Amino acid sequence: MFTVMSEAKRKRVFSGIQPTGNIHIGNYLGAIRHWASSQVGFDNIFCIVDLHAITTSQDPRMLRTRIRQAATLLFAAGIDPRLSAVFVQSHVSAHAELAWILNCLIPMGWMQRMTQFKEKSQKQKERVLVGLFDYPALMAADILLYETDLVPVGEDQKQHLELTRDVAQRFNSTYGLTFKLPEPVIPRKGARIMGLDDPTKKMSKSGSRPGHAVYLLDSPEEIRSKIMGATTDSLREIHFDKGRPALHNLLVIYELFTGLRRAEIEARFKGKGYIDLKRDLAEVIIEGLRPVQQRYRELTMDAAYIDSLLVGGVSKVRPIAEKTLLIVKEKIGLR
Ligand code: TYM
């Protein structure tokens, strides 16, 4: 039987990030730093998903800048071009083509259940774009084109991964075994970092208030001011308690940047107050981001180098995607 599965070798990891807004510590703690720390022993592909970005309105000049910025940040955060292919989604047309084919297998009801769409479209009502509704089909195409085993993501992407598996299964049962079923890899801690201004909302690139998120490229002054201004409750004791979501969020960020155990952190702040925690946390984040920012500055001096890495990335992945698409077309009778 004609199948896209190949001999089991190193597991393939695929993940993506939208080049919209500023990349923040939620993206970093929930996804990027895991991509960077577990490259060895895997076959890694990381995608700058510019076609997903245009599901909301984008200024063309800004989008172009942000695509390169996102790629540069991934390399600055430790993605090693010798171990991982980084590429721009729209440079491989198979993504859009497979998304269309999957559209023709996905019932409306599956899409209507997507909570991220429901949240994002709430305000826009009838003006919401078809592309935003269809976002999960494109995401499924991204993943399925590459015989992906593992998809490391934050918790907000879990439902999209379930849809990806469902559509892969539907294709396989209709046309015969074609797609591998990918597994989500969601970190135990930091999978959902909350907004600093509102601990009931996920930290997001589109958060409109200036104190909502710490961005990876924020200056030390900006980080200090955002952390000092973070929402807290009126209780005193500093300890991990999910019932106190604002404090819990700050402590989780502290935990992830320091690598300390929870008991050690609680001991450190015993008898102390929010001001002490916030002061310390700001410095911990500044130090944690310093090497990423330093490397980012070095990399931006050489835009041609980043372009060459993206060309290298796309030339590794395009043949894989084209092979899968060809098989899919044959299976469904388009060739
Ligand atoms: P995006 O660009 O919103 O986010 C990139 C990654 O960061 C994670 N993330 C978070 N983790 C913890 N706390 C947060 N507050 C937080 N906010 C974001 C996301 O879960 C994600 O892992 N749809 C995807 C991009 C995508 C993709 C794919 C991912 C397109 N195709 C294929 C995996 C596989 C997205 O919008 O990510």
PDB file of all heavy atoms in Angstrom, residues 222-241:
ATOM      1  N   GLU A 222      11.365  47.965  31.612  1.00  0.00           N
ATOM      2  CA  GLU A 222       9.993  47.554  31.268  1.00  0.00           C
ATOM      3  C   GLU A 222       9.575  46.332  32.097  1.00  0.00           C
ATOM      4  O   GLU A 222       8.451  46.261  32.597  1.00  0.00           O
ATOM      5  CB  GLU A 222       9.877  47.225  29.774  1.00  0.00           C
ATOM      6  CG  GLU A 222       9.857  48.464  28.894  1.00  0.00           C
ATOM      7  CD  GLU A 222      10.054  48.129  27.413  1.00  0.00           C
ATOM      8  OE1 GLU A 222      10.950  47.313  27.078  1.00  0.00           O
ATOM      9  OE2 GLU A 222       9.318  48.701  26.594  1.00  0.00           O
ATOM     10  N   ILE A 223      10.500  45.395  32.229  1.00  0.00           N
ATOM     11  CA  ILE A 223      10.170  44.175  32.978  1.00  0.00           C
ATOM     12  C   ILE A 223       9.874  44.543  34.431  1.00  0.00           C
ATOM     13  O   ILE A 223       8.860  44.120  35.007  1.00  0.00           O
ATOM     14  CB  ILE A 223      11.311  43.131  32.880  1.00  0.00           C
ATOM     15  CG1 ILE A 223      11.461  42.682  31.421  1.00  0.00           C
ATOM     16  CG2 ILE A 223      11.046  41.929  33.802  1.00  0.00           C
ATOM     17  CD1 ILE A 223      12.624  41.765  31.135  1.00  0.00           C
ATOM     18  N   ARG A 224      10.742  45.390  35.020  1.00  0.00           N
ATOM     19  CA  ARG A 224      10.515  45.782  36.428  1.00  0.00           C
ATOM     20  C   ARG A 224       9.152  46.442  36.558  1.00  0.00           C
ATOM     21  O   ARG A 224       8.376  46.127  37.450  1.00  0.00           O
ATOM     22  CB  ARG A 224      11.611  46.744  36.884  1.00  0.00           C
ATOM     23  CG  ARG A 224      12.900  46.023  37.184  1.00  0.00           C
ATOM     24  CD  ARG A 224      13.940  46.914  37.846  1.00  0.00           C
ATOM     25  NE  ARG A 224      15.229  46.245  37.755  1.00  0.00           N
ATOM     26  CZ  ARG A 224      16.211  46.594  36.911  1.00  0.00           C
ATOM     27  NH1 ARG A 224      16.082  47.655  36.120  1.00  0.00           N
ATOM     28  NH2 ARG A 224      17.325  45.894  36.870  1.00  0.00           N
ATOM     29  N   SER A 225       8.863  47.370  35.651  1.00  0.00           N
ATOM     30  CA  SER A 225       7.609  48.105  35.823  1.00  0.00           C
ATOM     31  C   SER A 225       6.392  47.195  35.618  1.00  0.00           C
ATOM     32  O   SER A 225       5.402  47.304  36.345  1.00  0.00           O
ATOM     33  CB  SER A 225       7.631  49.340  34.906  1.00  0.00           C
ATOM     34  OG  SER A 225       6.502  49.424  34.130  1.00  0.00           O
ATOM     35  N   LYS A 226       6.464  46.253  34.675  1.00  0.00           N
ATOM     36  CA  LYS A 226       5.325  45.351  34.460  1.00  0.00           C
ATOM     37  C   LYS A 226       5.122  44.419  35.656  1.00  0.00           C
ATOM     38  O   LYS A 226       3.991  44.178  36.090  1.00  0.00           O
ATOM     39  CB  LYS A 226       5.524  44.530  33.191  1.00  0.00           C
ATOM     40  CG  LYS A 226       5.347  45.354  31.925  1.00  0.00           C
ATOM     41  CD  LYS A 226       5.629  44.516  30.693  1.00  0.00           C
ATOM     42  CE  LYS A 226       5.401  45.326  29.430  1.00  0.00           C
ATOM     43  NZ  LYS A 226       5.679  44.537  28.223  1.00  0.00           N
ATOM     44  N   ILE A 227       6.221  43.881  36.168  1.00  0.00           N
ATOM     45  CA  ILE A 227       6.081  42.937  37.290  1.00  0.00           C
ATOM     46  C   ILE A 227       5.617  43.669  38.551  1.00  0.00           C
ATOM     47  O   ILE A 227       4.740  43.193  39.275  1.00  0.00           O
ATOM     48  CB  ILE A 227       7.405  42.165  37.539  1.00  0.00           C
ATOM     49  CG1 ILE A 227       7.734  41.286  36.331  1.00  0.00           C
ATOM     50  CG2 ILE A 227       7.333  41.331  38.816  1.00  0.00           C
ATOM     51  CD1 ILE A 227       6.751  40.160  36.053  1.00  0.00           C
ATOM     52  N   MET A 228       6.180  44.861  38.785  1.00  0.00           N
ATOM     53  CA  MET A 228       5.757  45.599  39.990  1.00  0.00           C
ATOM     54  C   MET A 228       4.278  45.973  39.895  1.00  0.00           C
ATOM     55  O   MET A 228       3.592  46.077  40.902  1.00  0.00           O
ATOM     56  CB  MET A 228       6.609  46.863  40.196  1.00  0.00           C
ATOM     57  CG  MET A 228       8.086  46.613  40.501  1.00  0.00           C
ATOM     58  SD  MET A 228       8.470  45.341  41.730  1.00  0.00           S
ATOM     59  CE  MET A 228       8.052  46.143  43.257  1.00  0.00           C
ATOM     60  N   GLY A 229       3.791  46.157  38.658  1.00  0.00           N
ATOM     61  CA  GLY A 229       2.388  46.540  38.475  1.00  0.00           C
ATOM     62  C   GLY A 229       1.437  45.362  38.352  1.00  0.00           C
ATOM     63  O   GLY A 229       0.229  45.546  38.171  1.00  0.00           O
ATOM     64  N   ALA A 230       1.974  44.134  38.440  1.00  0.00           N
ATOM     65  CA  ALA A 230       1.113  42.948  38.239  1.00  0.00           C
ATOM     66  C   ALA A 230       0.018  42.893  39.311  1.00  0.00           C
ATOM     67  O   ALA A 230       0.254  43.253  40.470  1.00  0.00           O
ATOM     68  CB  ALA A 230       1.959  41.675  38.299  1.00  0.00           C
ATOM     69  N   THR A 231      -1.139  42.436  38.897  1.00  0.00           N
ATOM     70  CA  THR A 231      -2.272  42.285  39.823  1.00  0.00           C
ATOM     71  C   THR A 231      -1.952  41.256  40.910  1.00  0.00           C
ATOM     72  O   THR A 231      -1.343  40.219  40.610  1.00  0.00           O
ATOM     73  CB  THR A 231      -3.487  41.746  39.028  1.00  0.00           C
ATOM     74  OG1 THR A 231      -3.753  42.664  37.999  1.00  0.00           O
ATOM     75  CG2 THR A 231      -4.704  41.570  39.906  1.00  0.00           C
ATOM     76  N   THR A 232      -2.336  41.551  42.123  1.00  0.00           N
ATOM     77  CA  THR A 232      -2.197  40.557  43.203  1.00  0.00           C
ATOM     78  C   THR A 232      -3.459  40.607  44.061  1.00  0.00           C
ATOM     79  O   THR A 232      -4.338  41.430  43.811  1.00  0.00           O
ATOM     80  CB  THR A 232      -0.972  40.863  44.104  1.00  0.00           C
ATOM     81  OG1 THR A 232      -0.951  42.259  44.365  1.00  0.00           O
ATOM     82  CG2 THR A 232       0.324  40.424  43.468  1.00  0.00           C
ATOM     83  N   ASP A 233      -3.510  39.741  45.071  1.00  0.00           N
ATOM     84  CA  ASP A 233      -4.675  39.801  45.969  1.00  0.00           C
ATOM     85  C   ASP A 233      -4.279  40.550  47.247  1.00  0.00           C
ATOM     86  O   ASP A 233      -3.166  41.077  47.341  1.00  0.00           O
ATOM     87  CB  ASP A 233      -5.192  38.387  46.260  1.00  0.00           C
ATOM     88  CG  ASP A 233      -4.108  37.476  46.798  1.00  0.00           C
ATOM     89  OD1 ASP A 233      -3.277  37.963  47.590  1.00  0.00           O
ATOM     90  OD2 ASP A 233      -4.083  36.285  46.436  1.00  0.00           O
ATOM     91  N   SER A 234      -5.183  40.579  48.208  1.00  0.00           N
ATOM     92  CA  SER A 234      -4.876  41.377  49.402  1.00  0.00           C
ATOM     93  C   SER A 234      -4.399  40.501  50.573  1.00  0.00           C
ATOM     94  O   SER A 234      -4.253  40.981  51.688  1.00  0.00           O
ATOM     95  CB  SER A 234      -6.121  42.175  49.802  1.00  0.00           C
ATOM     96  OG  SER A 234      -7.184  41.264  49.940  1.00  0.00           O
ATOM     97  N   LEU A 235      -4.168  39.213  50.284  1.00  0.00           N
ATOM     98  CA  LEU A 235      -3.689  38.335  51.366  1.00  0.00           C
ATOM     99  C   LEU A 235      -2.171  38.507  51.513  1.00  0.00           C
ATOM    100  O   LEU A 235      -1.519  39.102  50.656  1.00  0.00           O
ATOM    101  CB  LEU A 235      -4.045  36.883  51.042  1.00  0.00           C
ATOM    102  CG  LEU A 235      -5.552  36.629  50.878  1.00  0.00           C
ATOM    103  CD1 LEU A 235      -5.815  35.222  50.401  1.00  0.00           C
ATOM    104  CD2 LEU A 235      -6.267  36.879  52.208  1.00  0.00           C
ATOM    105  N   ARG A 236      -1.620  37.939  52.573  1.00  0.00           N
ATOM    106  CA  ARG A 236      -0.221  38.232  52.869  1.00  0.00           C
ATOM    107  C   ARG A 236       0.740  37.107  52.509  1.00  0.00           C
ATOM    108  O   ARG A 236       1.752  37.336  51.852  1.00  0.00           O
ATOM    109  CB  ARG A 236      -0.077  38.552  54.362  1.00  0.00           C
ATOM    110  CG  ARG A 236      -0.615  39.926  54.661  1.00  0.00           C
ATOM    111  CD  ARG A 236      -0.369  40.351  56.076  1.00  0.00           C
ATOM    112  NE  ARG A 236      -0.303  41.799  56.106  1.00  0.00           N
ATOM    113  CZ  ARG A 236       0.809  42.475  56.136  1.00  0.00           C
ATOM    114  NH1 ARG A 236       1.960  41.861  56.144  1.00  0.00           N
ATOM    115  NH2 ARG A 236       0.794  43.800  56.142  1.00  0.00           N
ATOM    116  N   GLU A 237       0.400  35.909  52.964  1.00  0.00           N
ATOM    117  CA  GLU A 237       1.385  34.832  52.880  1.00  0.00           C
ATOM    118  C   GLU A 237       1.711  34.440  51.431  1.00  0.00           C
ATOM    119  O   GLU A 237       0.813  34.345  50.596  1.00  0.00           O
ATOM    120  CB  GLU A 237       0.830  33.612  53.622  1.00  0.00           C
ATOM    121  CG  GLU A 237       1.909  32.836  54.336  1.00  0.00           C
ATOM    122  CD  GLU A 237       1.336  31.555  54.895  1.00  0.00           C
ATOM    123  OE1 GLU A 237       0.214  31.595  55.425  1.00  0.00           O
ATOM    124  OE2 GLU A 237       1.998  30.520  54.753  1.00  0.00           O
ATOM    125  N   ILE A 238       3.014  34.200  51.200  1.00  0.00           N
ATOM    126  CA  ILE A 238       3.429  33.835  49.839  1.00  0.00           C
ATOM    127  C   ILE A 238       3.597  32.311  49.766  1.00  0.00           C
ATOM    128  O   ILE A 238       4.576  31.765  50.268  1.00  0.00           O
ATOM    129  CB  ILE A 238       4.789  34.504  49.495  1.00  0.00           C
ATOM    130  CG1 ILE A 238       4.724  36.017  49.731  1.00  0.00           C
ATOM    131  CG2 ILE A 238       5.266  34.132  48.106  1.00  0.00           C
ATOM    132  CD1 ILE A 238       4.359  36.854  48.580  1.00  0.00           C
ATOM    133  N   HIS A 239       2.644  31.661  49.162  1.00  0.00           N
ATOM    134  CA  HIS A 239       2.821  30.231  48.912  1.00  0.00           C
ATOM    135  C   HIS A 239       1.982  29.794  47.710  1.00  0.00           C
ATOM    136  O   HIS A 239       1.065  30.503  47.292  1.00  0.00           O
ATOM    137  CB  HIS A 239       2.525  29.383  50.164  1.00  0.00           C
ATOM    138  CG  HIS A 239       1.101  29.471  50.620  1.00  0.00           C
ATOM    139  ND1 HIS A 239       0.165  28.531  50.326  1.00  0.00           N
ATOM    140  CD2 HIS A 239       0.457  30.425  51.324  1.00  0.00           C
ATOM    141  CE1 HIS A 239      -1.003  28.886  50.841  1.00  0.00           C
ATOM    142  NE2 HIS A 239      -0.846  30.032  51.450  1.00  0.00           N
ATOM    143  N   PHE A 240       2.342  28.629  47.140  1.00  0.00           N
ATOM    144  CA  PHE A 240       1.656  28.132  45.941  1.00  0.00           C
ATOM    145  C   PHE A 240       0.234  27.722  46.313  1.00  0.00           C
ATOM    146  O   PHE A 240       0.045  26.820  47.129  1.00  0.00           O
ATOM    147  CB  PHE A 240       2.399  26.926  45.356  1.00  0.00           C
ATOM    148  CG  PHE A 240       3.651  27.299  44.619  1.00  0.00           C
ATOM    149  CD1 PHE A 240       4.858  27.466  45.295  1.00  0.00           C
ATOM    150  CD2 PHE A 240       3.631  27.497  43.248  1.00  0.00           C
ATOM    151  CE1 PHE A 240       6.015  27.820  44.614  1.00  0.00           C
ATOM    152  CE2 PHE A 240       4.789  27.843  42.561  1.00  0.00           C
ATOM    153  CZ  PHE A 240       5.982  28.014  43.247  1.00  0.00           C
ATOM    154  N   ASP A 241      -0.731  28.409  45.727  1.00  0.00           N
ATOM    155  CA  ASP A 241      -2.129  28.118  46.038  1.00  0.00           C
ATOM    156  C   ASP A 241      -2.947  28.477  44.790  1.00  0.00           C
ATOM    157  O   ASP A 241      -3.045  29.648  44.422  1.00  0.00           O
ATOM    158  CB  ASP A 241      -2.545  28.989  47.247  1.00  0.00           C
ATOM    159  CG  ASP A 241      -4.036  28.850  47.572  1.00  0.00           C
ATOM    160  OD1 ASP A 241      -4.747  28.113  46.850  1.00  0.00           O
ATOM    161  OD2 ASP A 241      -4.477  29.499  48.544  1.00  0.00           O
TER     162      ASP A 241
END
